[in-house]
Amino acid sequence: MNPARTMKALTVSAALAVSLLTVHTATATAADADSCSYYSVSKSDVDLYGYVGYVELLYSSGCHTAEAHFHVDSSFLADHSGWDVTLWVGNGRSADANSQNIVVTTPYPANTSYSDYWSAPTSIYGKPTEQFLAGVDWDYNACRGDWGSGWHDFADGFNFNDGGSYDANAGCHV
């Protein structure tokens, strides 16, 4: 074989190998970003109709995002069904422990009976503060209530331990 052709073939092969390696690396990085794992940073039992379950603020350290999670306990699911749920994530704790703004709202279809609900994730950066709260608006029969997980400050890791009911009507069994 001609030495010039051999050199050209090796150069093309090397360039192809590098380009495939680059594509694979870029694909792996995108896949890793899609597989963020979350853990709980603040949590509160939801007692709107007796014990219903809990709401928690979840955090992904790999993606620097937070989301709300509402879990309905199996003991409540055993005897009840058909509620309306909207999850939200608040940002910026005010002096009265309310949110200065809601950064994510995730409504679910009416009359569901799921055991778990999640909000869309939101970055903890680029907001007025790094203080976040997960919340659930829950409607069941004559009960309508809002419940929060408790505030968490991502800037210093402080939990305010102030989760609970923000609003509940007379139809609830708080």
Side-chain angles (χ1 to χ4, degrees), residues 51-120:
Y51 177 68
V52 175
Y54 59 84
V55 63
E56 63 184 336
L57 180 66
L58 299 175
Y59 175 63
S60 169
S61 57
C63 293
H64 306 286
T65 54
E67 67 183 24
H69 171 235
F70 173 49
H71 173 75
V72 180
D73 192 74
S74 60
S75 62
F76 189 84
L77 280 169
D79 298 321
H80 305 277
S81 65
W83 39 83
D84 299 346
V85 169
T86 298
L87 286 175
W88 48 271
V89 176
N91 174 253
R93 185 179 189 274
S94 61
D96 64 357
N98 285 315
S99 294
Q100 292 176 8
N101 56 62
I102 303 298
V103 293
V104 170
T105 303
T106 306
Y108 277 80
N111 201 32
T112 59
S113 301
Y114 307 137
S115 60
D116 290 286
Y117 300 80
W118 290 270
S119 74

Side-chain angles (χ1 to χ4, degrees), residues 5-160:
R5 275 194 182 159
T6 303
M7 187 57 149
K8 185 176 180 179
L10 288 174
T11 303
V12 169
S13 295
L16 182 60
V18 168
S19 69
L20 288 174
L21 182 60
T22 303
V23 169
H24 176 69
T25 304
T27 304
T29 303
D32 292 344
D34 288 339
S35 61
C36 299
S37 59
Y38 286 84
Y39 60 90
S40 182
V41 293
S42 68
K43 183 176 177 180
S44 179
D45 287 347
V46 176
D47 296 313
L48 285 168
Y49 206 82
Y51 177 68
V52 175
Y54 59 84
V55 63
E56 63 184 336
L57 180 66
L58 299 175
Y59 175 63
S60 169
S61 57
C63 293
H64 306 286
T65 54
E67 67 183 24
H69 171 235
F70 173 49
H71 173 75
V72 180
D73 192 74
S74 60
S75 62
F76 189 84
L77 280 169
D79 298 321
H80 305 277
S81 65
W83 39 83
D84 299 346
V85 169
T86 298
L87 286 175
W88 48 271
V89 176
N91 174 253
R93 185 179 189 274
S94 61
D96 64 357
N98 285 315
S99 294
Q100 292 176 8
N101 56 62
I102 303 298
V103 293
V104 170
T105 303
T106 306
Y108 277 80
N111 201 32
T112 59
S113 301
Y114 307 137
S115 60
D116 290 286
Y117 300 80
W118 290 270
S119 74
T122 185
S123 173
I124 65 165
Y125 302 122
K127 309 291 188 286
T129 73
E130 290 184 17
Q131 297 171 344
F132 287 85
L133 164 80
V136 59
D137 294 342
W138 188 71
D139 267 312
Y140 176 67
N141 292 341
C143 174
R144 161 86 177 85
D146 297 325
W147 206 275
S149 65
W151 284 95
H152 180 79
D153 191 336
F154 288 101
D156 60 13
F158 183 74
N159 272 332
F160 289 84

